[in-house]
C-alpha cells in the first residue's frame, strides 16, 4: 500500500515536472515562419585546372598499362568544383550577407530563395580577416531580416540557426549561447559567439537568431575532429559583420587601425614580476621601429591596460579595439611601466590589406626557366603596386608548388623574397639562383607568408 501511494505520488510529481518543463521550452515556429524567407541558399562553381595522366593505351591486362599510367605524359584538364553555403537578405534591394570563405574562389554564384527563384549574384566585397562577404542580386521588395544587438546576449540564452547544411535548404537548428568573446587561433579581430547549435558544411554564412527574431550573428565555423558537428560552433557577432559590410559597400575594402606592436598574454607569474595587482592587459614584447607605438613612446615590457578608454582584459582584446579605431585618428593608451601607470597619445596607423591582386602570368619560357620546372615552381612577377601593398622591395609570387618545392614546404600564395640572402626580383633571377651548379645542394629561400616571413630549405638535385 505504501509503495503504491509512493509510486502514484512520484508519478504525479514527474508528470507535473514534465509539464512545467514543456511549458518552459521555447516555441520557434513563429520565428521561422516570419523570418525563414529571408534566408537564402548560396551555390558556387569554380573552374579548376588540374593535371592528370593521359589514358594509357590498351587494357589493364596489357603488361605496359601500369607503366604508362604512372609514367606516361600528362595533359592539363579542367573540371568544375561546386560548393554550398548560406546567407541572408539584409536589404530589400538585394544586398546579402554571407561568409567570405563561401564565395572567395567562386567564378559563378547563384542565390536561391525559399520560393525557388534563382539569381546570379555579384560580390561587392569580401574580407578574409573577419570572414564576411557582401553580395548583390538584382531584385526588389525582398524579405529582409531584423538586426539585433549581440552585446545584450546572455550566456545560456536560446538561439536558432537557419541554413543549408549539406544542401538541405532552410534547415532549422536550435541551442544556446555557450560563451561570448571567443578568440580563435590565428584570428584575434573577431570576438566570436560560441553556441551548441548544430552547424554543418553548408550552414556557413547563415544567420543566428535570438528569440525576438533578430539576427545577432553569422554562423562561420565549427570545432570538429571529424568534419561534422561535435557540439561547438562559432558565429561572428552581427555588429562586427555589419560594420564590415558597410565598409565593403561604400569603399570595397575594410580599413582597420594598427599601432605596430607584438604582444603576449599577461600570466599570473608575469603580473607578479611586473608588480601588477592582477593579470590583465597586453604585454608588449617588441615595437615596430618608426611605427605609431614607437613614435608615442611605447616600449617593450610595457603592459597596455586601456586603449581609447576601453579595458584590455587580455592580450586578445587589444587587436580588436585597435582594429576598430579609424586610421590616422588620435587615440589614448594607458600603460603600466615599472610599477606605475602612464597615459600616452598616439596616431593610429592603418593595417595593410591582406589581399594580393593576382598578377598576369609571365609568358612561359621553359628553356630559360628550366630550373624552376625541375623543382616544381610556377611563379609570376609582382607589379610595383603589388610590392607597395606588400611593403617589399622585390619578390616573386608563387602560383603553384609541386615536387621538391612542395616537399620543402613552399605553398601557393607565398612570395619568395631571396635565395641564399640574395634578393629575387624576377622569375629569371630565381631560375638562375636555383641552378644545380656543381652538384646537389640545399639553398635557403626567404618566403613571405601572410604577415610574417620564414626560411624554407629547398633541396636542389641535378638530373
Amino acid at each position: 500500500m505504501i509503495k503504491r501511494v509512493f509510486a502514484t505520488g512520484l508519478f504525479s510529481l514527474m508528470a507535473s515536472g514534465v509539464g512545467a518543463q514543456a511549458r518552459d521550452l521555447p516555441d520557434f515556429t513563429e520565428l521561422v515562419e516570419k523570418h525563414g524567407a529571408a534566408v537564402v541558399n548560396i551555390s558556387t562553381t569554380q573552374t579548376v585546372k588540374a593535371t592528370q595522366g593521359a589514358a594509357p593505351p590498351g587494357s589493364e591486362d596489357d603488361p605496359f598499362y601500369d607503366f604508362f599510367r604512372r609514367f606516361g605524359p600528362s595533359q592539363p584538364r579542367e573540371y568544375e568544383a561546386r560548393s554550398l553555403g548560406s546567407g541572408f537578405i539584409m536589404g530589400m534591394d538585394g544586398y546579402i550577407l554571407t561568409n567570405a570563405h563561401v564565395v572567395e574562389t567562386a567564378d559563378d554564384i547563384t542565390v536561391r530563395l525559399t520560393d525557388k527563384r534563382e539569381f546570379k549574384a555579384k560580390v561587392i566585397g569580401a574580407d578574409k580577416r573577419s570572414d564576411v562577404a557582401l553580395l548583390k542580386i538584382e531584385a526588389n521588395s525582398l524579405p529582409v531580416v531584423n538586426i539585433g544587438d549581440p552585446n545584450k546576449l546572455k550566456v545560456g540564452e536560446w538561439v536558432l540557426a537557419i541554413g543549408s547544411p549539406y544542401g538541405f535548404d532552410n534547415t532549422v537548428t536550435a541551442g544556446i549561447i555557450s560563451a561570448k568573446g571567443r578568440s580563435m587561433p590565428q584570428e584575434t579581430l573577431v570576438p566570436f559567439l560560441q553556441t551548441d547549435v548544430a552547424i554543418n558544411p553548408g550552414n556557413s554564412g547563415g544567420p543566428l537568431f535570438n528569440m525576438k527574431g533578430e539576427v545577432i550573428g553569422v554562423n562561420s565555423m565549427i570545432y570538429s575532429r571529424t568534419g561534422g558537428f561535435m557540439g561547438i560552433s562559432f558565429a561572428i557577432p552581427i555588429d562586427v559583420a555589419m560594420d564590415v559590410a558597410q565598409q565593403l559597400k561604400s569603399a570595397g575594402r575594410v580599413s582597420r587601425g594598427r599601432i605596430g606592436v607584438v604582444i603576449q598574454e599577461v600570466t599570473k607569474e608575469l603580473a607578479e614580476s611586473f608588480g601588477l595587482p592582477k593579470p590583465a592587459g597586453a604585454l608588449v614584447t617588441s615595437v615596430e621601429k618608426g611605427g605609431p607605438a614607437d613614435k608615442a613612446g611605447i616600449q617593450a615590457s610595457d603592459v597596455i591596460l586601456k586603449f581609447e578608454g576601453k579595458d584590455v582584459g587580455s592580450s586578445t582584446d587589444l587587436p580588436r579595439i585597435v582594429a576598430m579605431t579609424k586610421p590616422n585618428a588620435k587615440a589614448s593608451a594607458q600603460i603600466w611601466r615599472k610599477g606605475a601607470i602612464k597615459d600616452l597619445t598616439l596616431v593610429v596607423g592603418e593595417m595593410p590589406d591582406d589581399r594580393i591582386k593576382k598578377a598576369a602570368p609571365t609568358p612561359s619560357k621553359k628553356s630559360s626557366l628550366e630550373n624552376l620546372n625541375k623543382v616544381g615552381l610556377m611563379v609570376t612577377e609582382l607589379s610595383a603596386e603589388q610590392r607597395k601593398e606588400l611593403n617589399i622591395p622585390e619578390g616573386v609570387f608563387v602560383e603553384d608548388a609541386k615536387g621538391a618545392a612542395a616537399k620543402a614546404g613552399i605553398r601557393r600564395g607565398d612570395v619568395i623574397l631571396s635565395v641564399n640572402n640574395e634578393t629575387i626580383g624576377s622569375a629569371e633571377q630565381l631560375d638562375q639562383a636555383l641552378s644545380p651548379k656543381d652538384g646537389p645542394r640545399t639553398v635557403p629561400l626567404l618566403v613571405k607568408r601572410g604577415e610574417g616571413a620564414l626560411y624554407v630549405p629547398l633541396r636542389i638535385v641535378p638530373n
Side-chain angles (χ1 to χ4, degrees):
M1 187 71 173
I2 293 175
K3 289 183 179 179
R4 207 162 106 191
V5 170
F6 176 76
T8 305
L10 180 60
F11 177 78
S12 300
L13 287 171
M14 289 175 64
S16 65
V18 170
Q21 288 178 354
R23 286 194 299 271
D24 292 337
L25 289 174
D27 182 356
F28 299 106
T29 55
E30 186 177 348
L31 189 160
V32 175
E33 288 172 1
K34 282 187 176 180
H35 305 287
V39 182
V40 301
N41 171 284
I42 298 174
S43 59
T44 67
T45 59
Q46 177 194 10
T47 301
V48 179
K49 292 183 178 180
T51 301
Q52 180 171 307
S59 67
E60 293 187 17
D61 296 326
D62 191 316
F64 291 101
Y65 180 90
D66 188 57
F67 174 84
F68 279 105
R69 181 181 63 82
R70 295 175 61 193
F71 304 108
S74 295
Q75 60 185 13
R77 70 182 184 96
E78 292 184 348
Y79 66 92
E80 200 172 66
R82 296 177 179 271
S83 63
L84 295 170
S86 305
F88 53 95
I89 305 169
M90 51 179 286
M92 295 178 68
D93 52 352
Y95 282 99
I96 294 170
L97 209 58
T98 187
N99 284 147
H101 76 259
V102 171
V103 298
E104 65 180 344
T105 59
D107 297 321
D108 186 70
I109 304 169
T110 301
V111 170
R112 186 169 65 249
L113 277 56
T114 55
D115 60 10
K116 306 304 179 185
R117 285 185 294 166
E118 293 188 355
F119 300 89
K120 294 297 181 183
K122 175 185 177 183
V123 179
I124 301 299
D127 179 57
K128 289 184 180 180
R129 284 193 171 107
S130 63
D131 196 22
V132 172
L134 182 65
L135 311 182
K136 179 72 166 64
I137 61 175
E138 295 304 320
N140 292 298
S141 302
L142 296 169
V144 298
V145 297
N146 296 325
I147 302 300
D149 184 357
N151 298 306
K152 294 180 180 179
L153 282 174
K154 294 181 180 180
V155 174
E157 184 175 334
W158 282 97
V159 286
L160 176 138
I162 304 179
S164 303
Y166 301 107
F168 294 106
D169 291 10
N170 272 70
T171 296
V172 179
T173 52
I176 61 170
I177 295 291
S178 304
K180 296 170 62 178
R182 290 294 197 205
S183 294
M184 298 292 103
Q186 311 300 322
E187 177 51 75
T188 57
L189 299 183
V190 177
F192 286 97
L193 302 172
Q194 180 185 329
T195 79
D196 67 350
V197 178
I199 299 297
N200 282 290
N203 272 115
S204 291
L208 186 69
F209 291 94
N210 62 17
M211 289 303 294
K212 296 178 182 177
E214 300 168 332
V215 176
I216 44 82
V218 183
N219 296 310
S220 179
M221 65 179 77
I222 61 174
Y223 174 83
S224 176
R225 293 179 177 177
T226 64
F229 178 66
M230 292 184 66
I232 299 177
S233 54
F234 299 94
I236 304 160
I238 194 61
D239 56 346
V240 174
M242 289 297 290
D243 177 64
V244 170
Q246 292 300 328
Q247 292 193 57
L248 291 175
K249 185 177 180 180
S250 60
R253 63 184 294 270
V254 180
S255 179
R256 294 184 173 91
R258 68 182 295 272
I259 59 174
V261 293
V262 177
I263 57 175
Q264 73 176 72
E265 188 70 9
V266 179
T267 63
K268 181 183 177 182
E269 293 75 18
L270 284 171
E272 290 176 358
S273 68
F274 286 116
L276 277 166
K278 62 178 182 179
L283 174 59
V284 178
T285 58
S286 65
V287 181
E288 178 187 310
K289 188 175 181 180
D294 183 38
K295 291 177 180 177
I298 293 177
Q299 304 170 5
S301 79
D302 286 348
V303 178
I304 300 176
L305 302 175
K306 289 186 178 182
F307 194 87
E308 276 295 84
K310 298 175 182 176
D311 290 331
V312 180
S314 68
S315 61
T316 57
D317 293 336
L318 184 64
R320 299 173 191 159
I321 300 170
V322 173
M324 293 175 66
T325 309
K326 292 187 179 297
N328 302 316
K330 285 187 177 181
S332 61
Q334 186 182 89
I335 65 169
W336 179 268
R337 180 185 296 170
K338 297 179 180 178
I341 288 177
K342 188 172 183 178
D343 293 313
L344 300 172
T345 302
L346 50 81
V347 178
V348 178
E350 184 171 11
M351 190 181 293
D353 199 335
D354 63 356
R355 297 171 301 174
I356 298 179
K357 295 174 184 175
K358 192 174 179 181
T362 305
S364 177
K365 301 176 182 178
K366 290 191 175 179
S367 58
S368 61
L369 302 182
E370 181 182 356
N371 298 317
L372 288 182
N373 295 331
K374 285 178 181 176
V375 298
L377 275 175
M378 181 185 295
V379 301
T380 56
E381 296 171 9
L382 297 169
S383 66
E385 181 184 358
Q386 289 169 331
R387 292 197 300 271
K388 184 178 179 181
E389 282 187 25
L390 294 169
N391 194 28
I392 55 174
E394 299 288 348
V396 292
F397 182 79
V398 178
E399 287 281 356
D400 196 14
K402 302 175 182 176
K407 186 177 180 181
I410 300 172
R411 307 175 187 169
R412 170 179 164 79
D414 287 346
V415 177
I416 298 174
L417 303 175
S418 69
V419 177
N420 264 338
N421 295 321
E422 293 184 9
T423 303
I424 298 299
S426 67
E428 287 79 6
Q429 190 177 355
L430 177 61
D431 186 77
Q432 293 173 8
L434 298 182
S435 168
K437 294 184 178 178
D438 299 328
R441 63 191 181 113
T442 300
V443 294
L445 276 64
L446 180 60
V447 170
K448 179 177 175 61
R449 181 175 296 164
E451 295 293 320
L454 70 157
Y455 279 98
V456 176
L458 177 63
R459 183 71 174 167
I460 302 174
V461 180
N463 285 344

